[in-house]
Amino acid sequence: MAPLPLSTMPQHPLDAQFSYLSISYHHSLPFVTVVALNRPKKANAINAQMWKEIGDAFSHIGTTGDGCRCILMIGSGKGFCGGIDVTDEKFFSGIDCNYTGDDNSSQDVARKSIAFRSQILQMQSAFTAVEECPVPVVAAIHGACIGAGIDLTCCADVRVCSPDAKFSIREVRLGLAADVGTLQRFPKLVGFGSRVRELCFTGEDFSADDALRIGFVSRISPTKHSLIDTANDICQRISRNSPVAATITKASLNFSRDHAVSEGLEHVALHNSTALMSEDLVKSFMMKGGGAIHFEPLHSHSRL
């Protein structure tokens, strides 16, 4: 059963563009957009088309003047994401060892490697769009979150899960190293210690309690049925704040994670030298005692 009744939520204009994602306005939180992985019969396993859709969706939400201040990312059906769809031949056509073409140069390992690299970069870029989305992304994880599901949720800003959530960095058990972000992002989220390396090397499952203990999720909902209530509370508290402040905060957190403190300070000084001129600052101070504040939506991002 889906963690949110998707059919009862107002459709988002972007929704019609996607086959394997459901994009909707939140039914009760006015500034929250819900992005649902929507292949429930396939455990939300990500095929090539769905992979591209994730990149497209998160490249546009929050950048089109849509008023979005926070994204709630969920999985429909019995689990969040069962990993990569290994039955989709598009993922592996570039490394097909049974190629029978007449051009002998096509069998050259170096040439095949150069040709395949672009696909890996494209897949990485699609998930990085979640990380680079200007508004905070809250991932609500229930059931299985395997392989590519870990890659994807590593790109979210906040992760919460239900007590029945099950995680696995499964790639090593399939004969490959995770190459879409887990090995780079997961240790930066939780540390490079022995337990993290054990999970990466063994591909074993780890529980919601394990995920909380190492800091991969910030909280576990009291029951599996209350997961969305837990996520909604976080989304509501994020979305009541200035969208300018949230955007600058996210950009600074991401930049500072990958740079020295001095560089991070310079980065936030550059951005805040403009952001502090925002009318949002005055509004926030005037209403610091409580109450709802009307913040203007962010402008649409300019595109060629």
Side-chain angles (χ1 to χ4, degrees), residues 14-34:
L14 289 175
D15 185 68
Q17 301 180 23
F18 304 113
S19 300
Y20 300 115
L21 297 180
S22 175
I23 316 291
S24 57
Y25 295 111
H26 198 287
H27 64 92
S28 63
L29 301 178
F31 305 113
V32 177
T33 299
V34 180

Side-chain angles (χ1 to χ4, degrees), residues 39-90:
R39 292 188 79 204
K41 293 182 179 179
K42 296 287 187 178
N44 294 323
I46 305 177
N47 60 11
Q49 179 61 33
M50 186 179 182
W51 208 294
K52 290 187 288 186
E53 290 182 2
I54 290 170
D56 290 342
F58 282 92
S59 294
H60 285 85
I61 300 173
T63 72
T64 62
D66 55 6
C68 178
R69 300 183 193 173
C70 184
I71 296 172
L72 173 59
M73 181 167 60
I74 63 176
S76 59
K78 296 181 179 179
F80 180 82
C81 178
I84 191 172
D85 184 352
V86 296
T87 67
D88 190 338
E89 296 179 355
K90 289 185 178 180

Side-chain angles (χ1 to χ4, degrees), residues 4 26-29 32 34 72 138 140 160 226-239:
L4 267 180
H26 198 287
H27 64 92
S28 63
L29 301 178
V32 177
V34 180
L72 173 59
V138 177
V160 297
S226 62
L227 171 63
I228 295 304
D229 290 338
T230 299
N232 282 347
D233 176 64
I234 297 170
C235 290
Q236 183 178 42
R237 287 187 284 119
I238 291 172
S239 62

